[in-house]
Amino acid sequence: MESSHADLPPHGGGDQPLTDVLSGSSAESEQLQAQEQPEQPVAGTDPEADVQPAQEHEEVRAEQQMPIGTNIEVDSSDADSTLGETLSNATTSVTSSVFEYRYEHGRRYHAYADDAYFLPNDEAEADRLDLQHEVWKISLNRALYLAPIPRDGLNVLDIGTGTGIWAIEFAEEQPASQVTGTDLSPIQPTWVPPNCQFEIDNAEETWTFPKPFDFIHARVLMMGMHDWPHFFQQAFEHLKPGGWVEVQELVFPLGCDDGSAKPDNAFLKWAERARDAAGKIGINTNSPPHFPEYMANVGFVNIKEHRAKWPLGPWARGEKEKLMGHYMLENALAGVQGASLMLFTKVLGWTKDEVEVDLANVRKEMINRRNHVYCPMYVHYAQKPPLPEAAAEC
């Protein structure tokens, strides 16, 4: 496996900071750089050490670089202090039964496989997911993926598609590709590109797709995935030889490198409780560091790992880092209730009132700019071995 920073300690531990891990320091990336046209350095990075995004050439899209969030520093000037003050057994067709949502604690939840995922699927959650999509695009320098897949004419699967925004944008970006998005909830729009479709499916059940895929994408399945090795096994089985899988994930608990948020900080404690509650139902919220092992065990090759830190609040230095932090804070403020209500009441036995009282303290710490808290982010991609040249020519 190639890693952008193979010896990097887990977040929150060790003395080595989680920096410069997405700049592609391998010999392959250096060769790509030599072929590229020079571009302006990205704000918040060292201009002399900055690695520019790879250029497209012929039919293959070169690997994208990810400098945003790889080297976050505290902005001691407090120049933009007002920025953060705003607070499947088988694939199921979309039938009326799928729309029979459940309503609890004032939020709406999916009805299909209702014990598989504890977050809501209402309009507020859909808006949050679309905001989170924008954070990913900032971090990936407006790219939708990093894997070096062919430019067009692909059969693509988006697991856990949510509002469908990633699948729709991919379909628009590659009009000769066919994109299928799956999710537990039918909250995707009706008007979509002709090369994009959505299906209701539980990704933890046996996959029954009739045709293999060239590219399988998944993003932020953390709170709904109980068995990641099984996920990668199914992805491997449903890829064509030479196809790619990419998983973009966040990690709990949260991190703070400079001690500005104390161990008893309500925000950090909330993330620890969410991790512990998820663990009680078989979900490991710190699985991404193990993805390279899971990928290799089922036969993937060309495994690559990228890491970054996403600031929760506009405390980081750099225009893009500050914007990403602002959006991440809004994402957290909008999502903390939905992430807590079902999980804490059903798993930890709290009452709704107890959850709301705790969240009031959590939100106070969220908007405190003195707390330099971040969310660790991982992107992994890997390839199913291509056919040997002799076999491919037959």
Side-chain angles (χ1 to χ4, degrees), residues 81-266:
S81 59
T82 61
L83 186 59
E85 290 179 0
T86 59
L87 295 189
S88 101
N89 292 333
T91 299
T92 303
S93 61
V94 181
T95 62
S96 59
S97 62
V98 177
F99 289 93
E100 293 175 357
Y101 300 124
R102 295 182 299 112
Y103 294 84
E104 294 189 39
H105 308 304
R107 302 298 299 267
R108 190 187 74 187
Y109 298 84
H110 67 274
Y112 174 61
D114 61 358
D115 60 346
Y117 188 62
F118 281 78
L119 272 66
N121 72 348
D122 48 26
E123 290 298 324
E125 177 66 3
D127 290 343
R128 186 192 69 81
L129 291 175
D130 285 349
L131 175 62
Q132 183 175 262
H133 174 74
E134 178 62 22
V135 178
W136 279 105
K137 292 192 71 174
I138 293 173
S139 185
L140 304 186
N141 286 307
R142 312 311 299 174
L144 293 173
Y145 55 90
L146 297 183
I149 62 175
R151 182 70 188 123
D152 218 334
L154 308 178
N155 189 25
V156 178
L157 175 63
D158 183 29
I159 296 288
T161 194
T163 65
I165 190 170
W166 185 95
I168 291 170
E169 290 189 9
F170 189 102
E172 292 173 338
E173 184 178 287
Q174 298 204 20
S177 293
Q178 179 64 44
V179 185
T180 300
T182 68
D183 201 273
L184 292 168
S185 294
I187 61 172
Q188 302 78 35
T190 303
W191 294 97
V192 298
N195 59 325
C196 181
Q197 64 180 2
F198 297 109
E199 299 174 351
I200 306 306
D201 196 20
N202 183 354
E204 295 202 283
E205 300 293 341
T206 301
W207 297 4
T208 58
F209 303 106
K211 296 180 180 179
F213 296 95
D214 300 285
F215 183 41
I216 296 176
H217 170 269
R219 186 170 69 186
V220 194
L221 303 183
M222 175 178 65
M223 295 305 293
M225 186 59 62
H226 298 75
D227 190 347
W228 280 107
H230 182 59
F231 170 87
F232 287 115
Q233 179 66 53
Q234 295 212 88
F236 187 86
E237 293 171 354
H238 285 265
L239 280 170
K240 298 176 183 178
W244 292 83
V245 63
E246 177 165 323
V247 180
Q248 304 170 358
E249 269 298 336
L250 307 178
V251 166
F252 271 15
L254 304 173
C256 177
D257 292 339
D258 62 2
S260 56
K262 305 305 178 185
D264 61 350
N265 180 281

Side-chain angles (χ1 to χ4, degrees), residues 151 189 239 348 356 368:
R151 182 70 188 123
L239 280 170
L348 299 183
E356 295 292 3
N368 184 350

Side-chain angles (χ1 to χ4, degrees), residues 254 267 310-315 325-326 328-329 332 366 371 373-375:
L254 304 173
F267 192 13
W310 285 1
L312 285 152
W315 53 262
H326 173 61
M328 274 299 290
L329 176 60
M366 282 182 173
N371 295 325
V373 178
Y374 64 86
C375 185

Side-chain angles (χ1 to χ4, degrees), residues 63-82:
E63 177 183 351
Q64 297 288 324
Q65 304 301 327
M66 296 172 51
I68 306 304
T70 66
N71 188 4
I72 55 174
E73 300 177 358
V74 177
D75 185 358
S76 57
S77 69
D78 201 33
D80 294 306
S81 59
T82 61

Side-chain angles (χ1 to χ4, degrees), residues 280-331:
K280 291 179 181 293
I281 55 174
I283 293 175
N284 181 0
T285 63
N286 193 30
S287 289
H290 304 287
F291 285 179
E293 175 188 355
Y294 299 157
M295 290 172 158
N297 286 345
V298 300
F300 281 109
V301 296
N302 296 324
I303 301 169
K304 291 191 178 181
E305 176 184 90
H306 297 300
R307 309 182 189 183
K309 300 174 181 178
W310 285 1
L312 285 152
W315 53 262
R317 181 179 301 163
E319 181 180 354
K320 291 186 178 180
E321 288 81 358
K322 199 176 294 294
L323 179 62
M324 184 166 60
H326 173 61
Y327 285 166
M328 274 299 290
L329 176 60
E330 295 295 338
N331 176 73

Side-chain angles (χ1 to χ4, degrees), residues 353-371:
D353 288 343
E354 288 173 332
V355 174
E356 295 292 3
V357 169
D358 181 64
L359 294 183
N361 295 322
V362 172
R363 292 186 183 100
K364 288 180 182 178
E365 295 297 341
M366 282 182 173
I367 62 176
N368 184 350
R369 273 187 56 125
R370 295 185 180 90
N371 295 325

